[in-house]
Amino acid sequence: MKSDRLAPVEPGTVPDLVELARVVAQQRAEMDRLRERAATTVVVERAKGVVMALTGCTADAAEETLHGRAKAARRTLLEECWITLGGQTPARSSTGATTAGPDSGNEDAAAAATVDAPAPLPAPDDVADALARLGRALVHVDTHQTLARCLLDHLAPELDADSVLIYARRPGGGLELVGHAGVDEGLAARWRQVPPFSGVAVLDALRSGEPCWLENFAEDSTRYLLIGEPPERWQSRVWLPLSDGDGSDLCIGVLRGRPGVFSPRDRTHLHAMIRLCAGRLRTFTAPSEAAADTHTDAVQALFAALPVPAMLLTPLGGASGDVEDFRVDAATAQAADLLGSPSGEPTGRRLREVRPDLTDLPMWQGCLDTLAGGGPYESEPFAHQENVDGVLELATYSVRVSRLEDALVVTWVRHASSDRQEQRLAELQRLGNLGWANWNLSTDEASWSAQVFTILDRDPADGPVRLVDVPALALSDDRPSLDAAVKALLREGQPFDASFRVRGGRGVRHLRLVTEVVADSHGTPVEVHGVVQDLTARRRAELALVESERAILTQHDVLQSERVLVARLQNALLPLPDKVVNLAGLRVEVAYLPAQAGIHVGGDWFSAVELPDGDALFVVGDVAGHGVDAVATMAQLRFTAKGMVSTGSSLTGALARLNTLLLHSRDAHGTATMALARYHAADRRLVWAQAGHTPPLLLRGGEATYLPRPPGMLLGATNAPYFEESEYLLEPGDRLLLYTDGLVERPPENIDVGLARLADAAITHPADGAGALGTLLAAMLEGERRDDVCVLDIRVPQDS
């Protein structure tokens, strides 16, 4: 074994950790080679001992026997040793007790079974090479879990194996999953314990002692309870039974994602693989005879002497070949403290076991990147609370990761108080988007902080500029004022606070430069201290605010003009009478109450006119929406309806034509509801029709009744509307109310509730002269209104 002399470490200095770790890595490689040689020797000596015990020959003769068998079967000596060890299955008595051993009385039979048993047919060359590699790999296997991983690494390229499961039969007859590879921990936990049920392929293989080949998923799924969630993940599988030598049976499952049978070559390969594994399993229950792992102690002793927090990591690969964890080969006591592990000493354990949340931290990705050849990694500084002489102090650290061949050296660097101040200053400049600059006028030297270069979009390699050259960085429009401020400072020592713009890769930036002057005893400026601040975001916000104020003022003027226009339009198109009107012998009172003033005036409207033949026409309607468009549509409907009925059109005909007008007129606005009523004065007959409107309310003899609604559809809703008329005879003293839905609707209640409320209010507030309509409206409209209200109050005089 070779070793390199370590250079002495001077007091107060930090050794070169990478160089020290390199020496440790060389020592570890040499020790690994010696370990493998020693482990291989142990396997050979054990196999020789079995042959000597069974045949009574000498050690040399036993070794010759093993060599002869290996040569005859075209196997390596290590393979033959594993097979020899695996062939020593303890014999069982009729009661099931184990009776194996040289003194059991069955020595001759055992010897004959082991020595004289016919050797299996030799495997193909490629399979033999693979088995030779497996035999060497089994030297390093010492648990069922590592055996499963070793087998998957071996069988994945050879047989397209996707997963390997190892089950052990327990005294109660059930199964326990003792090793697995290629499956996640959740599935392994769910299938860890299997009761002794019928229809389990593993148990069938153990009972029969023969492999159970499952090569047709459709048929196998009807015969067996197949492991997997879902079981379709593995389309073909085989369960290979074996005994591990301590009286408990084991079964190894090889599962493949692809369907199909195992070829004769594959079966030969798997049978030979099981024979090798049986030999290795013999040693699991015996104490390890390998040489002590002295190199681990040497590495740990070296790290224990280091004055800084550090650890040495070895990557651990998963079944896919990717790094899934790191083994902590050595660590200082300070490193264990900084890892914050509540579970104690980290050396010899997996890193994710020590710190389960490590994969969520930047350090984990830094380790992976460094291992992949991305260069050393250094983390951002972080705070750590540590105990110094019994007092808790807050210190600042950063993590550095360096690669050492196939391992990683991780160190923690503690920042001094001056380092922390520098870090805080850098953070302040970055968060405030400002930086400092100094100009020595005597030596004509300048120095800037890193943030100034960032603000000015200047490459630090170009260095800072002199104070007299600063105006040249500004845009041409801002250059004269900045140049004048600089000259006044240099000539008269006057500090300045100047704003200017620069153009860079991020566009035009708005900056501010504030300076102060340090003068000598004669008052001559000798040094200038300055602060450069980026005000681009604030300036843009100010400009946006100005533009917003301008837009608001413009919109205010537009709204004011529209408000005046709407008010004038409504007054011109819908004049309200200021007193009771007499039409065709009827007394008519009108009320119109908009929900809001200004441009939000809605489309509710009315019409009450006397026709040329002496009859009276009453109309109330409601256009959907508010504003100028709704008022314009209301005017079209109002005057068109009046004109068509005046010229002889029926009420239903007028509604049909108004529907066509809404559908095909470019200036029309949405939909509308309407109720039309024609009063024949000669016989007091009321003919009315409606288009999606609420029915009129009739009050007679102290009772309130809604007139039955004839069929009618919403205007503007369809190309094929249908309307009918209805007649009703009025009597002296009758009162008829035509209204829009704003009088009775109160969302979210049903409109039937509002209709009932109107009927009750009309009975409670009868028509006793002028002003009765106002009393009724006051009772109905309490609180804020959400819609316009239009009401026609029609009364038949008692002496009519």
Side-chain angles (χ1 to χ4, degrees):
M1 174 177 174
K2 299 180 180 180
S3 62
D4 294 335
R5 182 179 299 276
L6 299 181
V9 179
E10 295 295 333
T13 63
V14 178
D16 187 344
L17 297 181
V18 175
E19 184 60 31
L20 291 174
R22 191 182 308 278
V23 174
V24 170
Q26 293 174 354
Q27 295 177 345
R28 182 178 60 183
E30 180 67 17
M31 290 304 302
D32 287 342
R33 186 180 64 81
L34 295 176
R35 278 187 67 193
E36 182 168 356
R37 178 184 297 176
T40 303
T41 302
V42 169
V43 175
V44 174
E45 292 301 320
R46 281 181 174 171
K48 288 167 58 178
V50 169
V51 175
M52 292 168 61
L54 294 175
T55 64
C57 65
T58 64
D60 293 339
E63 186 171 0
E64 290 180 4
T65 300
L66 291 173
H67 279 286
R69 290 184 195 169
K71 183 177 181 180
R74 298 175 59 190
R75 291 191 287 259
T76 65
L77 176 62
L78 189 58
E79 287 181 84
E80 187 61 39
C81 291
W82 286 130
I83 292 174
T84 300
L85 293 173
Q88 273 305 105
T89 305
R92 296 180 182 273
S93 66
S94 59
T95 61
T98 301
T99 59
D103 301 326
S104 64
N106 295 322
E107 179 179 326
D108 295 337
T114 303
V115 179
D116 300 328
L121 294 176
D125 291 341
D126 57 339
V127 175
D129 293 340
L131 292 172
R133 292 193 298 271
L134 176 60
R136 292 192 297 270
L138 289 176
V139 172
H140 305 287
V141 172
D142 55 1
T143 65
H144 293 101
Q145 183 65 24
T146 55
L147 175 60
R149 292 175 182 168
C150 176
L151 291 180
L152 182 60
D153 293 341
H154 171 73
L155 296 175
E158 301 293 336
L159 278 75
D160 291 337
D162 183 66
S163 303
V164 170
L165 303 178
I166 303 178
Y167 273 98
R169 183 161 55 183
R170 294 312 182 201
L175 300 174
E176 180 182 356
L177 183 65
V178 294
H180 62 85
V183 299
D184 58 70
E185 292 299 331
L187 187 144
R190 288 189 290 273
W191 289 91
R192 191 170 304 280
Q193 302 292 336
V194 178
F197 295 153
S198 60
V200 179
V202 190
L203 288 172
D204 280 3
L206 288 172
R207 293 189 188 105
S208 65
E210 297 294 333
C212 183
W213 305 92
L214 306 179
E215 301 166 312
N216 188 323
F217 181 81
E219 295 180 1
D220 297 333
S221 59
T222 62
R223 298 169 53 207
Y224 294 109
L225 173 64
L226 298 181
I227 293 175
E229 294 180 8
E232 298 86 25
R233 170 181 172 183
W234 296 301
Q235 292 290 313
S236 59
R237 59 189 85 188
V238 60
W239 292 101
L240 303 156
L242 59 107
S243 173
D244 68 356
D246 64 350
S248 60
D249 297 324
L250 281 90
C251 196
I252 297 180
V254 180
L255 298 86
R256 302 189 303 184
R258 64 175 177 86
V261 300
F262 291 84
S263 66
R265 172 190 175 278
D266 294 343
R267 295 195 177 205
T268 300
H269 192 161
L270 289 169
H271 279 297
M273 178 269 293
I274 284 297
R275 297 185 72 193
L276 292 179
C277 292
R280 185 66 184 101
L281 288 169
R282 294 291 177 271
T283 65
F284 279 12
T285 56
S288 174
E289 298 176 9
D293 194 8
T294 56
H295 81 280
T296 301
D297 296 336
V299 173
Q300 182 57 41
L302 173 63
F303 270 70
L306 296 178
V308 295
M311 62 181 178
L312 182 67
L313 303 179
T314 297
L316 301 176
S320 63
D322 297 332
V323 175
E324 66 176 13
D325 207 343
F326 293 90
R327 184 180 67 245
V328 183
D329 286 343
T332 63
Q334 303 97 311
D337 177 63
L338 286 169
L339 280 174
S341 171
S343 54
E345 172 63 34
T347 304
R349 301 164 60 190
R350 292 186 171 222
L351 191 57
R352 291 173 63 181
E353 177 188 353
V354 177
R355 185 74 181 269
D357 64 337
L358 193 64
T359 53
D360 299 328
L361 302 179
M363 173 186 165
W364 177 263
Q365 190 60 45
C367 290
L368 297 180
D369 293 342
T370 302
L371 189 64
Y377 163 79
E378 183 166 357
S379 73
E380 293 291 331
F382 62 91
H384 174 72
Q385 196 172 43
E386 57 188 13
N387 192 315
V388 180
D389 297 331
V391 179
L392 291 178
E393 292 186 0
L394 196 63
T396 302
Y397 286 87
S398 61
V399 178
R400 291 177 181 172
V401 182
S402 302
R403 181 172 178 176
L404 177 65
E405 297 180 353
D406 294 332
L408 296 178
V409 178
V410 181
T411 56
W412 282 261
V413 179
R414 193 177 194 274
H415 296 269
S417 58
S418 59
D419 297 332
R420 293 198 297 271
Q421 293 296 336
E422 288 288 340
Q423 179 66 26
R424 291 168 183 168
L425 179 59
E427 292 175 354
L428 175 63
Q429 295 181 70
R430 177 176 53 83
L431 295 175
N433 210 0
L434 54 85
W436 57 263
N438 287 337
W439 290 276
N440 190 317
L441 304 182
S442 301
T443 61
D444 205 20
E445 294 178 348
S447 60
W448 290 357
S449 68
Q451 192 65 24
V452 174
F453 289 97
T454 301
I455 293 172
L456 293 171
D457 281 337
R458 183 176 176 84
D459 189 349
D462 296 335
V465 300
R466 300 183 305 164
L467 183 59
V468 294
D469 296 329
V470 169
L473 303 175
L475 295 182
S476 57
D477 293 345
D478 300 338
R479 198 171 298 158
S481 59
L482 183 59
D483 186 62
V486 171
K487 289 180 178 178
L489 182 146
L490 297 175
R491 183 177 57 253
E492 304 171 7
Q494 295 181 359
F496 63 83
D497 184 343
S499 298
F500 61 98
R501 295 167 296 170
V502 297
R503 187 183 302 276
R506 295 176 293 168
V508 176
R509 313 290 295 174
H510 296 262
L511 308 182
R512 177 190 181 194
L513 175 58
V514 182
T515 63
E516 67 175 7
V517 179
V518 178
D520 59 12
S521 58
H522 303 290
T524 303
V526 294
E527 191 171 17
V528 177
H529 303 161
V531 174
V532 182
Q533 185 177 12
D534 189 344
L535 302 177
T536 304
R538 188 173 75 179
R539 182 59 177 161
R540 287 175 179 171
E542 292 173 352
L543 293 176
L545 180 60
V546 171
E547 291 298 325
S548 178
E549 291 176 349
R550 290 176 180 173
I552 290 174
L553 292 175
T554 302
Q555 185 68 17
H556 179 269
D557 294 340
V558 172
L559 294 177
Q560 184 65 27
S561 300
E562 190 171 350
R563 184 179 296 111
V564 173
L565 174 62
V566 169
R568 290 179 178 177
L569 268 176
Q570 190 173 46
N571 291 334
L573 299 175
L574 195 65
L576 296 176
D578 55 0
K579 59 182 179 179
V580 176
V581 180
N582 292 313
L583 295 176
L586 302 175
R587 297 177 66 248
V588 181
E589 189 174 354
V590 180
Y592 177 76
L593 303 173
Q596 300 181 34
I599 64 171
H600 297 290
V601 174
D604 289 23
W605 56 279
F606 71 92
S607 183
V609 296
E610 189 169 327
L611 300 176
D613 57 2
D615 293 346
L617 175 66
F618 302 104
V619 186
V620 290
D622 185 2
V623 176
H626 295 80
V628 176
D629 292 339
V631 172
T633 303
M634 173 268 288
Q636 280 187 327
L637 296 178
R638 183 172 187 266
F639 290 110
T640 303
K642 177 180 176 182
M644 285 190 294
V645 176
S646 298
T647 55
S649 294
S650 65
L651 300 183
T652 55
L655 289 174
R657 291 178 176 85
L658 292 174
N659 182 76
T660 303
L661 176 67
L662 277 182
L663 286 174
H664 300 290
S665 175
R666 180 177 301 177
D667 299 329
H669 180 77
T671 59
T673 66
M674 185 183 298
L676 294 87
R678 181 166 185 163
Y679 176 70
H680 297 271
D683 53 2
R684 294 197 301 274
R685 181 166 50 92
L686 183 74
V687 181
W688 79 288
Q690 61 87 26
H693 205 80
T694 51
L697 177 65
L698 175 67
L699 289 95
R700 176 182 292 173
E703 295 183 358
T705 306
Y706 287 100
L707 300 185
R709 294 175 66 203
M713 305 179 68
L714 182 73
L715 296 180
T718 178
N719 285 318
Y722 179 74
F723 303 102
E724 288 187 7
E725 295 179 349
S726 180
E727 292 188 2
Y728 201 85
L729 292 178
L730 299 181
E731 297 180 1
D734 286 350
R735 182 184 185 188
L736 190 68
L737 295 177
L738 277 71
Y739 52 91
T740 57
D741 54 8
L743 182 64
V744 293
E745 281 188 341
R746 288 184 184 177
E749 71 179 15
N750 191 288
I751 194 172
D752 292 338
V753 177
L755 293 174
R757 184 167 54 249
L758 175 59
D760 294 340
I763 295 174
T764 306
H765 303 85
D768 297 332
L773 179 58
T775 305
L776 175 64
L777 294 178
M780 286 293 297
L781 305 175
E782 298 177 356
E784 182 181 359
R785 296 191 306 278
R786 298 189 179 185
D787 200 0
D788 302 339
V789 175
C790 184
V791 182
L792 288 179
D793 186 358
I794 304 169
R795 284 169 271 180
V796 183
Q798 290 285 355
D799 55 355
S800 173

